[in-house]
Amino acid sequence: MSEQMCSNCNKNNPIDSTYCYSCGHILPAGMKVLATQHLGEDERNLRPQLRWGTAYFGEQTFLRIHVNHTAQLIETRFDTECILGRVSEDDVATVDLSPFDAIEMGVSRRHAKLTRQSATIMVQDLDSVNGTYLNGEKLLPFQARVLRNEDEIQLGHMQLRISFLRAPGRP
Protein backbone atom coordinates (compact mmCIF):
# COMPACT_ATOMS: atom_id res chain seq x y z
CA MET A 1 0.00 0.00 0.00
CA SER A 2 1.32 3.47 -0.94
CA GLU A 3 1.77 6.10 1.67
CA GLN A 4 2.44 9.81 1.83
CA MET A 5 4.66 11.49 4.38
CA CYS A 6 3.52 14.47 6.40
CA SER A 7 5.82 17.44 5.81
CA ASN A 8 5.07 18.70 9.33
CA CYS A 9 5.76 15.66 11.56
CA ASN A 10 7.30 13.14 9.07
CA LYS A 11 4.69 10.44 9.86
CA ASN A 12 3.48 8.13 7.09
CA ASN A 13 -0.22 8.32 6.17
CA PRO A 14 -2.41 6.40 3.68
CA ILE A 15 -2.14 7.81 0.13
CA ASP A 16 -5.79 8.93 0.07
CA SER A 17 -5.72 10.79 3.43
CA THR A 18 -6.31 14.54 3.36
CA TYR A 19 -5.07 15.21 6.91
CA CYS A 20 -2.18 13.70 8.88
CA TYR A 21 -3.54 11.22 11.44
CA SER A 22 -0.81 12.30 13.88
CA CYS A 23 -0.69 16.10 13.80
CA GLY A 24 -3.70 17.15 11.67
CA HIS A 25 -1.58 18.92 9.04
CA ILE A 26 -3.03 19.02 5.49
CA LEU A 27 -1.31 16.42 3.29
CA PRO A 28 -0.49 16.89 -0.43
CA ALA A 29 -3.52 14.76 -1.42
CA GLY A 30 -5.68 17.04 0.73
CA MET A 31 -4.41 20.18 -0.98
CA LYS A 32 -6.09 19.04 -4.21
CA VAL A 33 -9.35 18.02 -2.55
CA LEU A 34 -9.66 21.07 -0.27
CA ALA A 35 -8.60 23.73 -2.77
CA THR A 36 -11.19 26.42 -3.50
CA GLN A 37 -12.85 25.87 -6.85
CA HIS A 38 -13.46 28.70 -9.32
CA LEU A 39 -17.19 29.07 -9.95
CA GLY A 40 -16.90 31.06 -13.16
CA GLU A 41 -18.85 34.13 -14.14
CA ASP A 42 -22.22 32.42 -14.39
CA GLU A 43 -24.84 35.10 -13.67
CA ARG A 44 -27.01 32.69 -11.63
CA ASN A 45 -24.24 32.32 -9.03
CA LEU A 46 -23.96 36.08 -8.57
CA ARG A 47 -27.66 36.86 -7.96
CA PRO A 48 -28.82 37.25 -4.37
CA GLN A 49 -31.40 34.63 -3.45
CA LEU A 50 -34.61 35.65 -1.72
CA ARG A 51 -35.27 33.07 0.95
CA TRP A 52 -36.89 32.96 4.34
CA GLY A 53 -35.06 35.23 6.77
CA THR A 54 -33.01 37.20 4.26
CA ALA A 55 -32.65 40.93 4.90
CA TYR A 56 -31.68 41.72 1.29
CA PHE A 57 -34.13 44.14 -0.34
CA GLY A 58 -32.85 45.15 -3.78
CA GLU A 59 -33.89 47.96 -6.10
CA GLN A 60 -36.38 45.77 -8.00
CA THR A 61 -37.87 44.23 -4.85
CA PHE A 62 -41.34 45.04 -3.55
CA LEU A 63 -43.32 44.14 -0.44
CA ARG A 64 -46.23 41.76 -0.23
CA ILE A 65 -48.18 42.19 2.99
CA HIS A 66 -50.51 39.38 4.00
CA VAL A 67 -53.13 40.50 6.49
CA ASN A 68 -53.29 37.32 8.61
CA HIS A 69 -56.94 37.45 9.71
CA THR A 70 -58.08 37.82 6.08
CA ALA A 71 -57.09 36.31 2.77
CA GLN A 72 -56.07 39.76 1.54
CA LEU A 73 -52.68 40.67 0.09
CA ILE A 74 -51.31 44.19 -0.29
CA GLU A 75 -48.38 44.82 -2.64
CA THR A 76 -46.41 48.04 -2.37
CA ARG A 77 -43.21 49.64 -3.62
CA PHE A 78 -41.50 52.62 -2.08
CA ASP A 79 -38.29 54.58 -2.55
CA THR A 80 -37.40 55.75 0.94
CA GLU A 81 -40.20 55.20 3.46
CA CYS A 82 -43.65 53.71 3.90
CA ILE A 83 -46.13 54.46 6.69
CA LEU A 84 -48.40 51.65 7.90
CA GLY A 85 -51.65 52.80 9.49
CA ARG A 86 -55.06 54.27 8.71
CA VAL A 87 -55.98 57.07 6.37
CA SER A 88 -57.83 59.95 8.01
CA GLU A 89 -58.59 63.54 7.07
CA ASP A 90 -55.23 64.93 8.16
CA ASP A 91 -52.96 61.83 8.14
CA VAL A 92 -52.08 59.83 5.08
CA ALA A 93 -50.66 56.36 5.55
CA THR A 94 -48.83 54.88 2.57
CA VAL A 95 -50.45 51.52 3.33
CA ASP A 96 -54.05 52.06 4.48
CA LEU A 97 -55.16 49.22 6.75
CA SER A 98 -58.64 50.71 7.35
CA PRO A 99 -60.43 48.20 5.07
CA PHE A 100 -59.14 45.36 7.31
CA ASP A 101 -60.87 46.50 10.54
CA ALA A 102 -57.81 48.51 11.60
CA ILE A 103 -59.72 50.71 14.04
CA GLU A 104 -61.20 47.71 15.87
CA MET A 105 -57.79 46.00 15.96
CA GLY A 106 -56.05 48.99 17.57
CA VAL A 107 -54.04 50.28 14.59
CA SER A 108 -53.04 53.94 14.88
CA ARG A 109 -53.26 56.40 11.97
CA ARG A 110 -49.45 56.54 11.82
CA HIS A 111 -48.60 53.25 13.49
CA ALA A 112 -45.26 52.07 12.05
CA LYS A 113 -42.73 53.17 9.48
CA LEU A 114 -40.70 51.09 7.04
CA THR A 115 -37.52 52.79 5.82
CA ARG A 116 -35.26 51.65 3.01
CA GLN A 117 -31.58 51.80 4.00
CA SER A 118 -29.23 50.65 1.28
CA ALA A 119 -30.42 47.09 0.48
CA THR A 120 -32.40 46.53 3.69
CA ILE A 121 -35.70 47.63 5.21
CA MET A 122 -35.92 48.96 8.75
CA VAL A 123 -39.15 48.92 10.76
CA GLN A 124 -39.96 51.21 13.68
CA ASP A 125 -42.93 51.95 15.88
CA LEU A 126 -44.13 55.57 15.61
CA ASP A 127 -45.08 55.80 19.31
CA SER A 128 -48.39 54.07 18.59
CA VAL A 129 -50.97 53.62 21.35
CA ASN A 130 -51.09 49.80 21.11
CA GLY A 131 -47.50 49.06 20.13
CA THR A 132 -45.70 47.33 17.28
CA TYR A 133 -44.24 43.83 17.53
CA LEU A 134 -41.65 42.23 15.28
CA ASN A 135 -41.82 38.42 15.44
CA GLY A 136 -43.43 38.66 18.88
CA GLU A 137 -40.93 41.16 20.34
CA LYS A 138 -42.26 44.60 21.23
CA LEU A 139 -40.43 47.46 19.56
CA LEU A 140 -39.48 50.55 21.51
CA PRO A 141 -40.88 53.73 19.93
CA PHE A 142 -38.65 55.10 17.15
CA GLN A 143 -36.07 52.30 17.55
CA ALA A 144 -35.39 50.89 14.07
CA ARG A 145 -34.99 47.12 13.59
CA VAL A 146 -34.09 45.15 10.46
CA LEU A 147 -37.06 43.62 8.65
CA ARG A 148 -36.47 40.26 6.96
CA ASN A 149 -38.33 38.26 4.35
CA GLU A 150 -41.30 36.41 5.93
CA ASP A 151 -41.16 38.36 9.21
CA GLU A 152 -44.36 38.98 11.12
CA ILE A 153 -45.30 42.47 12.25
CA GLN A 154 -48.13 43.04 14.70
CA LEU A 155 -49.78 46.46 14.84
CA GLY A 156 -52.03 46.50 17.90
CA HIS A 157 -53.89 43.21 17.39
CA MET A 158 -53.45 43.09 13.58
CA GLN A 159 -50.87 40.58 12.38
CA LEU A 160 -49.11 41.07 9.05
CA ARG A 161 -46.74 38.67 7.27
CA ILE A 162 -44.18 40.56 5.16
CA SER A 163 -42.67 38.97 2.03
CA PHE A 164 -40.00 40.39 -0.24
CA LEU A 165 -40.70 39.75 -3.92
CA ARG A 166 -38.55 40.49 -6.95
CA ALA A 167 -40.23 42.08 -9.97
CA PRO A 168 -40.65 39.52 -12.78
CA GLY A 169 -37.73 39.40 -15.21
CA ARG A 170 -35.50 41.51 -12.97
CA PRO A 171 -32.29 40.45 -11.20
Side-chain angles (χ1 to χ4, degrees):
M1 175 164 116
S2 290
E3 293 185 332
Q4 59 181 328
M5 185 182 293
C6 176
S7 61
N8 188 50
C9 70
N10 296 322
K11 299 282 185 183
N12 284 326
N13 292 271
I15 194 70
D16 58 346
S17 294
T18 54
Y19 296 96
C20 175
Y21 75 91
S22 179
C23 71
H25 189 74
I26 299 175
L27 298 169
M31 295 300 263
K32 294 175 188 168
V33 173
L34 300 173
T36 302
Q37 303 295 316
H38 187 302
L39 295 177
E41 296 299 321
D42 187 358
E43 181 182 3
R44 291 174 302 189
N45 292 331
L46 301 176
R47 296 172 97 186
Q49 298 298 311
L50 290 179
R51 60 187 184 279
W52 179 85
T54 187
Y56 176 76
F57 193 85
E59 290 297 318
Q60 302 303 323
T61 309
F62 62 97
L63 289 179
R64 176 177 285 165
I65 303 169
H66 177 251
V67 183
N68 285 2
H69 70 284
T70 71
Q72 298 294 316
L73 297 173
I74 303 167
E75 292 184 353
T76 187
R77 296 173 190 263
F78 60 96
D79 291 326
T80 55
E81 70 178 34
C82 172
I83 304 296
L84 304 175
R86 298 181 285 116
V87 172
S88 68
E89 295 170 5
D90 52 349
D91 279 323
V92 179
T94 312
V95 175
D96 182 16
L97 299 170
S98 300
F100 310 105
D101 301 323
I103 293 174
E104 293 81 3
M105 298 193 92
V107 177
S108 298
R109 288 176 295 210
R110 294 177 49 87
H111 199 107
K113 178 168 71 170
L114 306 178
T115 308
R116 182 187 289 257
Q117 288 185 356
S118 186
T120 60
I121 299 293
M122 305 300 284
V123 59
Q124 63 180 295
D125 179 70
L126 295 176
D127 201 19
S128 63
V129 173
N130 294 307
T132 301
Y133 297 79
L134 176 61
N135 298 320
E137 297 290 322
K138 187 170 184 175
L139 300 180
L140 296 174
F142 306 109
Q143 180 184 34
R145 300 276 301 276
V146 174
L147 184 66
R148 299 178 191 284
N149 186 36
E150 297 301 320
D151 274 352
E152 187 173 276
I153 298 175
Q154 183 174 326
L155 309 177
H157 293 290
M158 182 180 286
Q159 294 180 336
L160 309 171
R161 171 78 55 192
I162 309 296
S163 300
F164 298 174
L165 299 173
R166 191 175 287 122
R170 299 293 183 130

